[in-house]
Amino acid sequence: MNIAVITGSPHKNGTTALLADEFIRGASEAGNDVFRFDAAFRKVHPCIGCGRCDGNAGIHCSFTDDMDELYKSILKSDLIVLVSPVYYWTLSPQILGVISRWEYMVQRLRGKKLILLTARYNPDDTWTLEPIRLWYRNLQKSVGLIGAGEIHAVGAETRKELELTEYPKQAYLLGRKTGAESADETSG
């Protein structure tokens, strides 16, 4: 299986980087071909709504940047994994900028699987998961993606703290499941 993992954190060794690392380790061990795109460290111009792509006509985006590499990977992938910290009840601006550029290829994303991995510090405000889960379901519906799992790591401010939880193991096991073609079960 071809997997595109897109991270959105500006922290190279933070909590979501750990989740991505563990998912990728599991998916690679399961025999998958994994491509990682760290959006915060790439040149990605957000969509400006110019209409050049003509809403799914397949005309290339107005911008030529690192998204060109990601487009190729996403289009050949069977599974897309979004990994992001939670910023004000949604994903990071870096990953949202990437998603804003999907319009060019949205028709060709239908039927692909989607996994969401997030992390946030405060363990007491679990209500913040509601907007994230709603966003995840709405993305699936609007694009025609198939939910294949989600993990929301809470209560660890640093990578070291997250290493002491079960979340890295959950991410690893979710990655391992992709090789068994059974990643359409939701976890976390």
Side-chain angles (χ1 to χ4, degrees):
M1 176 185 293
N2 289 312
I3 301 173
V5 175
I6 307 166
T7 69
S9 176
H11 303 281
K12 287 186 179 183
N13 294 307
T15 54
T16 57
L18 175 58
L19 294 176
D21 294 344
E22 287 302 300
F23 177 89
I24 290 168
R25 184 170 70 92
S28 296
E29 287 177 9
N32 297 295
D33 181 23
V34 181
F35 172 82
R36 180 176 182 154
F37 187 87
D38 295 308
F41 306 103
R42 304 299 291 268
K43 182 181 176 193
V44 176
H45 196 292
C47 178
I48 59 169
C50 70
R52 179 167 189 246
C53 65
D54 196 25
N56 312 322
I59 298 169
H60 193 280
C61 179
S62 295
F63 297 107
T64 300
D65 56 19
D66 290 342
M67 279 297 293
D68 290 340
E69 180 183 8
L70 183 57
Y71 285 143
K72 291 175 189 169
S73 177
I74 287 175
L75 290 173
K76 77 174 188 177
S77 72
D78 306 292
L79 170 65
I80 301 165
V81 182
L82 303 176
V83 189
S84 177
V86 175
Y87 288 176
Y88 291 95
W89 313 284
T90 192
L91 305 184
S92 73
Q94 293 85 352
I95 206 162
L96 290 174
V98 165
I99 295 167
S100 77
R101 295 276 299 280
W102 285 9
E103 188 65 21
Y104 150 67
M105 61 179 176
V106 74
Q107 291 290 347
R108 293 175 280 173
L109 295 178
R110 296 193 194 293
K112 292 184 183 290
K113 294 178 182 176
L114 179 69
I115 288 176
L116 177 61
L117 308 176
T118 68
R120 72 177 187 300
Y121 168 61
N122 193 337
D124 298 324
D125 64 357
T126 55
W127 58 270
T128 60
L129 286 180
E130 293 171 31
I132 292 284
R133 287 185 168 143
L134 178 61
W135 179 90
Y136 178 63
R137 287 191 308 271
N138 287 338
L139 181 64
Q140 291 171 48
K141 287 179 196 174
S142 68
V143 177
L145 297 163
I146 301 164
E150 53 187 299
I151 296 171
H152 302 285
V154 297
E157 186 173 12
T158 66
R159 182 181 181 114
K160 232 177 192 4
E161 290 173 1
L162 189 63
E163 288 170 350
L164 301 174
T165 71
E166 287 295 310
Y167 295 117
K169 182 179 179 182
Q170 290 175 10
Y172 168 79
L173 292 173
L174 187 56
R176 286 287 300 181
K177 285 172 53 174
T178 60
E181 295 297 321
S182 63
D184 31 37
E185 300 168 17
T186 301
S187 69

